[in-house]
Amino acid sequence: MCGFLGEFTFQHNSLTESASFEALLDLSQHRGPDASCTTRGSGFQLGFNRLAILDVSAQGNQPKESPSGRYQVVFNGELYNYQDLAETYALTDLHSTSDTEVLIHLLDVLGVAATISLLNGMFAIVIIDTEIDCLYLTRDFAGIKPLFYGVANEGVVMASQFDQIYKHDWFCKSLDLRPEIVKEYFGFGYMQAPNTIYKRIFQVNPGELLQIDRKGDTTKKALVTFTKTQELELIETELSSLLQTTVSKQLVSDVPIATFLSGGIDSPLISAYAKKNISEIEAFTLEVANPQLNESAMAKAYADYLEIKQHIVSVKESDLLLEIDSHFKAFSEPFGDYSSIPTYVISKEAKQKHTVMLSGDGGDELFFGYPRMLDVLQKRWWFKLPFYLRKPLAQLTNKIGLTKTWAPYFKSLDAFIENKHLHLPPVVLDKVFPNTSFSSAMKNLYTFSSLNKDVLLHQLRWNEFYAHLQRVLIKVDRTSMAHSLEVRVPFLDKENIGWAWSQKGRLNSKQELKKELKDLLAKEVPETIINQKKMGFTVPLKTWLHTELQSDVRHVVFERPFYGEAVMDVSVLQAYVQDFYDNKHDNAWGVWHIYAWQKWWLEHGVTGEKLKVNREQ
């Protein structure tokens, strides 16, 4: 796992000077502390910070040039099928054993689009084609690895981190906020691709290939997508076999590798399969004192039965609180999921012994693991009724105890589902951002076309995959890479996703949440130790905000200049925070979004000063 930076100029514009470029490259040095290299060519320059995983010798360093000299490449991520591709295409004269070596050879053999379509892994790739004089940007089909780019009059800047774009000389002096995307941040807690909060700065969509020429003309092509409309097909391979093959390929590493192990379903299954390949595999579990949040006893039961050496990372709430400020430094973009705090802490501890970890992320989204999905299915019938009948009927049934739901009060099913993902109420968001709607990209994610149970269930999975999962992946990437730790996600292997997408979902009760994964885990451990209750990876946020964090929240929200006041009504946000402290509501998560926005700006915002050069001589 690594970090990169690149420039691609338009027409006859000049590249920025090396010192400024290298200072920006240094911002991602934590993503790749093992080697830092740059290259300059006609109208482009590329820089790369390497975290050495495969072929740790200098032969694996980047940027790399293809054997023909046509392509210049920087690549962040891992390709899990690179050995298969090398064999299939009989690639010879490989000068290293890295996956990047296979990539640059394939580009010469197949070209860009055909090569990218074949890849199975997690990746963000920048390619300069010197023959037709254009830039390619592409990102893995699940959105695991980040790829930001900005389009200025001078050219394109592309990078692993958001701040490497908005702090660049081509952008930092004229940063204009997009009110609709800022509104989305306050509601959902992250920036949804392809947008960012700034005009002219974007994210590459999962599975997308962009081609940009010297005139700035851009062509976008979706190379790998998982459709909103389900096409059922018979796949003879069993899920167990697919997952075990995936885990086996993702265990390939030239540096120490381990797993994260919780008390749930997903990571224990991944750990069990990892144990089949590496008998001495180790696992890391977070232990906290609060019994309502602590899964370590359940995780220990898994580890004991599977005979996995387990590292239990015991932390007090005071330890977690001490990491909050340093944890905010890991996010160069506004981010509001507070479960990033324990993720940051356990990543820090895991890095003490290992460089690569396997996680269970993606299992909930692909295999119907969220109770909110079941809730939507059970209440969808309300939306068959006209709104004018629905609301008074719900008032009556709620009053006499037949129901207890707010679903009928939403004007549409789309609004009901969207509200489940929002952490500031729509009425508050609309006051903060009057006459401002969400972006078309976000609206599309929360548009559902049918009340048919089977169709709706697949669309809910599609929504979770391309929306909520993206927030999870941002959290894991930023907190792990802050400690130069690579996290691999076997559930998000291309073949596994394809398998899940081809299956007709079934969700009639809580017992059927993630049923396929529970059945697989039951073949590895006794059913008596399988945890049926989802606890999550969280902290006692409400208590913290009322106690240890209250002083800092009040300071950054009320006493410091509030960033973005030109595009929002800050007084509404401040009143919402004050109402929380006056016990008029208990929405701690919404308050955290407001707090995290200010913490991001105070830590990472452009102050007008030129970025200082701070490189080792």
Side-chain angles (χ1 to χ4, degrees), residues 552-580:
D552 194 44
V553 172
R554 289 186 177 277
H555 174 66
V556 302
V557 173
F558 297 109
E559 298 173 10
R560 300 298 299 269
F562 204 101
Y563 183 58
E565 60 183 357
V567 301
M568 67 180 96
D569 188 339
V570 172
S571 67
V572 177
L573 293 174
Q574 292 173 326
Y576 194 75
V577 174
Q578 186 58 55
D579 285 348
F580 174 79

Side-chain angles (χ1 to χ4, degrees), residues 97-167:
T97 57
S98 71
D99 50 356
T100 311
E101 187 75 22
V102 172
L103 173 63
I104 59 175
H105 278 73
L106 277 178
L107 289 172
D108 277 346
V109 173
L110 301 174
V112 175
T115 294
I116 303 305
S117 296
L118 290 173
L119 303 182
N120 190 354
M122 53 181 185
F123 52 83
I125 305 173
V126 174
I127 303 168
I128 307 292
D129 185 336
T130 61
E131 184 174 301
I132 63 173
D133 204 19
C134 72
L135 163 71
Y136 291 97
L137 304 174
T138 192
R139 188 173 175 217
D140 67 72
F141 38 82
I144 305 169
K145 292 293 102 187
L147 180 47
F148 295 93
Y149 69 102
V151 182
N153 292 331
E154 296 85 350
V156 179
V157 180
M158 49 281 183
S160 298
Q161 293 186 182
F162 186 41
D163 60 347
Q164 291 176 296
I165 310 292
Y166 67 74
K167 290 181 179 179

